[in-house]
Amino acid sequence: MQESDFQQRFKAHRARDIHGHRLGPYIQDIVYGGNDGIVTTFAVVAGTVGADLPHYVVIILGMANLLADATSMGTGSFLSLRSERDHYHRLRKEELKEIEVDPEIERAEVKEFYEQKGFQGADLDRVVAVITANKDVWADTMMTEEHGLTKGASEEPVTHGLITFASFIVFGSIPLLPFFFLTTREDRFPVAMFATLFALVLLGLARSQVTKERLLRGPIEIVAVGALGAFVAYGIGVLLKSTVGVVL
């Protein structure tokens, strides 16, 4: 009866989402793509408005930036993780070969790793014997302890690339929306500024929700970083207008 109760509690423990959000493995892609999408799109908006260019130029440049940069970031994420995956598997094959060719040296390395973790005497011999009894476990241990590498995100490069692309498009389109739907010239840029702030806060809240950190920490950090890029972009636009006289 006790075992049955334990099994039920164990299954309930595994079923509950207590060790992180299911989007946790992808939060880096969401924040990376979303933040870059917001900042670079607003940079185009702020730069062109600062240079006093017509709103259709803002739309053209904004859309070109949105689609080109989203594609670039998505494919960049894919290629980066695929390279990381290929590197991992190449090193693992080398470790398996070394285990075949010179197992005593590889066994001594495992022993040294676990000595550094505090294992001694019979406990150390036992853990080394258990790990080296299975070549796959042995190779995985060498990858983690010797090279500091795990499979992780690199096993899903397509998924991470698509999430980066989607996050860039979704969040990056928000600063551009006022130029599609507002007809009053004076209102477009102020609304775009508030839309950008909203997008940054939304991304920050999403980050806090997934990472389960303090609610305000995510928005504050992301807004601060995004605001820096926005101010720089708008300042460059104003500077170009005053020094080069870029006006259409």
Side-chain angles (χ1 to χ4, degrees), residues 74-145:
T75 54
S77 176
F78 165 76
L79 291 173
S80 174
L81 289 173
R82 186 168 184 177
S83 299
E84 182 180 323
R85 183 190 65 184
D86 292 344
H87 176 62
Y88 176 90
H89 287 292
R90 180 183 62 79
L91 285 177
R92 193 175 185 278
K93 286 180 181 178
E94 291 179 2
E95 288 295 340
L96 285 169
K97 184 177 180 180
E98 289 175 356
I99 289 170
E100 289 286 346
V101 173
D102 202 344
E104 292 305 313
I105 293 294
E106 297 300 303
R107 188 175 286 108
E109 286 187 322
V110 173
K111 186 174 182 178
E112 182 180 51
F113 296 145
Y114 282 87
E115 278 181 327
Q116 295 172 355
K117 294 178 183 293
F119 287 84
Q120 296 178 352
D123 289 338
L124 177 61
D125 293 336
R126 189 177 301 112
V127 73
V128 171
V130 170
I131 289 173
T132 57
N134 185 306
K135 290 182 180 179
D136 285 329
V137 174
W138 192 348
D140 289 340
T141 300
M142 298 301 294
M143 291 300 296
T144 301
E145 302 297 338

Side-chain angles (χ1 to χ4, degrees), residues 148-227:
L149 296 175
T150 57
K151 289 183 179 180
S154 63
E155 291 302 299
E156 298 181 335
V158 174
T159 302
H160 286 271
L162 289 174
I163 290 175
T164 301
F165 174 85
S167 182
F168 192 105
I169 292 289
V170 170
F171 288 98
S173 63
I174 296 175
L176 204 56
L177 293 178
F179 291 85
F180 281 96
F181 299 109
L182 295 180
T183 57
T184 306
R185 178 184 177 90
E186 292 75 16
D187 293 340
R188 292 185 192 122
F189 186 61
V191 173
M193 290 173 50
F194 283 108
T196 300
L197 177 62
F198 169 77
L200 290 169
V201 170
L202 185 63
L203 180 61
L205 289 173
R207 173 189 165 191
S208 294
Q209 178 66 26
V210 172
T211 60
K212 296 188 176 180
E213 63 185 11
R214 286 176 293 180
L215 186 63
L216 293 179
R217 180 181 173 184
I220 289 173
E221 289 182 350
I222 289 180
V223 168
V225 172

Side-chain angles (χ1 to χ4, degrees), residues 7-21:
Q7 291 296 332
Q8 289 178 2
R9 289 191 293 111
F10 179 72
K11 289 179 181 179
H13 171 82
R14 294 296 298 271
R16 289 198 305 268
D17 190 20
I18 63 174
H19 296 301
H21 198 279

